[in-house]
Amino acid sequence: AFRFDALPPGPATVMIHVNDPGASGQQMRSFRVELENGQTTRLDANLDSGARVSGKVTGAPQGWMTSVALVTGTVEIPSDANLQTTFQGMADRRAGGTQVAADGSFQIEGAQAGDYTVVVVTFDPQSGGQTFKHATAPVTVSENGEASVNITLP
């Protein structure tokens, strides 16, 4: 259990990073809460609930770091976008994320029902993150079901 004090009222996102013994090594889950002034908001996070979004990423150059984020709603990223700024702007809409396995597969657990965009980013670690590729794809998640999406990087 943990507690945060003196947070401003309004919508907030609680993000939990979970070590995953599977191929990805780490999962990220997020939960939306509404904070009310002077009130305590309790969140009992069930990390085993929700749906699974899985798929395969192709087109990532060998040796590049590739990650996948599940973002609520529609996301369009211009080809000349600053990805760091873009990802910071999506932080409150991220519903999950993971690293892509060596074979290109990924799996995000705990998604709630709704419409999402899967955002894939791969970068060359030798370039300090300055050389990268990205792609997006829409996906609809049903309650406690599974959704699959395959993405090819340009």
Side-chain angles (χ1 to χ4, degrees):
F2 52 91
R3 176 185 174 125
F4 300 100
D5 291 319
L7 297 174
T13 302
V14 176
M15 292 186 191
I16 302 172
H17 289 266
V18 180
N19 286 332
D20 180 358
S24 67
Q26 188 179 69
Q27 290 277 331
M28 190 275 293
R29 313 260 174 87
S30 67
F31 302 88
R32 299 281 296 164
V33 295
E34 186 70 30
L35 303 176
E36 296 183 29
N37 197 19
Q39 301 293 315
T40 298
T41 302
R42 181 180 174 94
L43 171 66
D44 293 318
N46 181 352
L47 301 179
D48 294 325
S49 69
R52 172 184 301 145
V53 177
S54 62
K56 190 161 190 170
V57 176
T58 56
Q62 180 111 11
W64 286 31
M65 303 293 293
T66 306
S67 61
V68 177
L70 187 64
V71 181
T72 57
T74 301
V75 174
E76 293 184 23
I77 303 173
S79 60
D80 62 346
N82 176 313
L83 286 183
Q84 183 174 6
T85 302
T86 301
F87 269 99
Q88 288 172 346
M90 289 189 284
D92 65 337
R93 296 175 49 202
R94 285 186 60 163
T98 191
Q99 295 294 313
V100 174
D103 67 355
S105 65
F106 69 89
Q107 188 169 283
I108 300 170
E109 303 280 351
Q112 303 304 308
D115 293 323
Y116 296 90
T117 300
V118 175
V119 179
V120 178
V121 175
T122 187
F123 70 92
D124 180 2
Q126 302 297 322
S127 73
Q130 298 302 310
T131 304
F132 58 86
K133 296 180 179 188
H134 70 277
T136 62
V139 66
T140 298
V141 175
S142 61
E143 191 68 39
N144 290 321
E146 291 193 28
S148 180
V149 60
N150 296 321
I151 301 172
T152 300
L153 289 158

